[in-house]
């Protein structure tokens, strides 16, 4: 089976990060429908160690102010970082581990990252542009407080979601960019 012969593999192989998205976004009801494809993420002991927070409208300004405060940035009145305004919808990815004797915290963080990537793929397959963004301020106290994170939670960044410009979509479809050689990522255990 090749990525060309299976629609899901083809969609996965075609996925690209879209740094500039348009203002149209999925509704909350559409997000719930898309999330149905994400909830089966690999999850040892079914701990569900992740959650999502949607940021729309004024929530993005709260994030901008938290980022400026975290950076120690003093701006003129009415000025603020524009980073949270690159998309109308941001989805914060939160790793929310629980103590378990058989599931270490790093594994629960991996589950949260897996859920984020599945969501990214599901949104892409549904026709939306997505860019997973992070940064040095992601887990700064001010940014964490703005999201209402608990002490044990880790903010893993935000998915910036929106419409894909048709010209960009055409460029993607016409791209001659060769795929990465998957053999470079597959190895064997070393011999003794």
């Amino acid at each position: 089976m090749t990525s060309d012969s299976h629609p899901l593999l083809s969609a996965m192989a075609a996925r690209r990060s879209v740094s500039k998205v348009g203002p149209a976004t999925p509704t909350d009801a559409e997000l719930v429908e898309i999330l149905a494809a994400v909830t089966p993420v690999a999850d040892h002991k079914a701990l569900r160690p992740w959650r999502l927070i949607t940021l729309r409208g004024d929530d993005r300004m709260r994030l901008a102010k938290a980022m400026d405060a975290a950076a120690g940035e003093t701006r003129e009145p009415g000025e603020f970082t524009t980073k949270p305004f690159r998309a109308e919808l941001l989805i914060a990815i939160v790793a929310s581990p629980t103590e378990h004797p058989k599931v270490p915290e790093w594994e629960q963080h991996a589950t949260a990252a897996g859920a984020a990537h599945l969501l990214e793929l599901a949104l892409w397959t549904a026709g939306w542009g997505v860019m997973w963004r992070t940064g040095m301020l992601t887990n700064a106290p001010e940014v964490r407080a703005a999201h209402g994170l608990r002490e044990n939670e880790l903010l893993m960044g935000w998915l910036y979601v929106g419409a894909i410009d048709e010209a960009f979509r055409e460029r993607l479809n016409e791209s001659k960019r060769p795929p990465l050689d998957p053999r470079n990522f597959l190895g064997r255990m070393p011999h003794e």
Side-chain angles (χ1 to χ4, degrees):
M1 178 183 327
T2 66
S3 62
D4 293 337
S5 66
H6 193 279
L8 179 58
L9 295 178
S10 180
M12 290 170 65
R15 189 212 65 84
R16 297 290 180 270
S17 293
V18 182
S19 61
K20 292 184 181 181
V21 294
T25 65
T27 65
D28 286 348
E30 289 170 319
L31 281 177
V32 167
E33 190 174 314
I34 289 168
L35 275 170
V38 175
T39 56
V41 65
D43 181 5
H44 191 190
K45 297 293 183 188
L47 298 176
R48 314 289 189 264
W50 57 277
R51 64 188 182 98
L52 307 172
I53 302 170
T54 57
L55 290 80
R56 300 179 190 266
D58 291 342
D59 293 338
R60 295 172 304 142
M61 180 57 77
R62 289 179 52 219
L63 176 56
K65 289 179 179 178
M67 287 177 145
D68 278 346
E73 187 73 43
T74 305
R75 298 183 189 265
E76 294 296 318
E79 291 185 3
F80 47 84
T81 182
T82 59
K83 290 178 181 180
F85 297 93
R86 294 176 181 164
E88 296 290 323
L89 169 63
L90 281 60
I91 303 174
I93 311 301
V94 180
S96 189
T98 57
E99 268 196 53
H100 193 285
K102 295 186 177 182
V103 187
E105 188 172 282
W106 71 263
E107 189 174 330
Q108 295 181 54
H109 287 178
T111 296
H117 190 58
L118 280 179
L119 179 55
E120 197 176 20
L121 288 170
L123 286 162
W124 173 264
T125 302
W128 298 104
V130 184
M131 181 80 163
W132 188 347
R133 295 182 184 272
T134 59
M136 296 304 291
L137 302 176
T138 302
N139 277 282
E142 297 86 349
V143 175
R144 292 176 57 78
H147 287 80
L149 298 187
R150 295 184 295 272
E151 187 177 320
N152 71 321
E153 292 184 315
L154 177 71
L155 182 57
M156 301 185 82
W158 304 266
L159 300 182
Y160 284 57
V161 183
I164 300 175
D165 178 71
E166 284 307 314
F168 181 75
R169 192 181 298 275
E170 286 176 26
R171 281 199 329 268
L172 283 176
N173 291 338
E174 295 170 1
S175 175
K176 303 289 188 240
R177 179 176 148 189
L180 295 174
D181 184 348
R183 293 173 294 199
N184 292 332
F185 301 95
L186 189 61
R188 299 188 59 103
M189 299 253 325
H191 293 29
E192 289 185 31

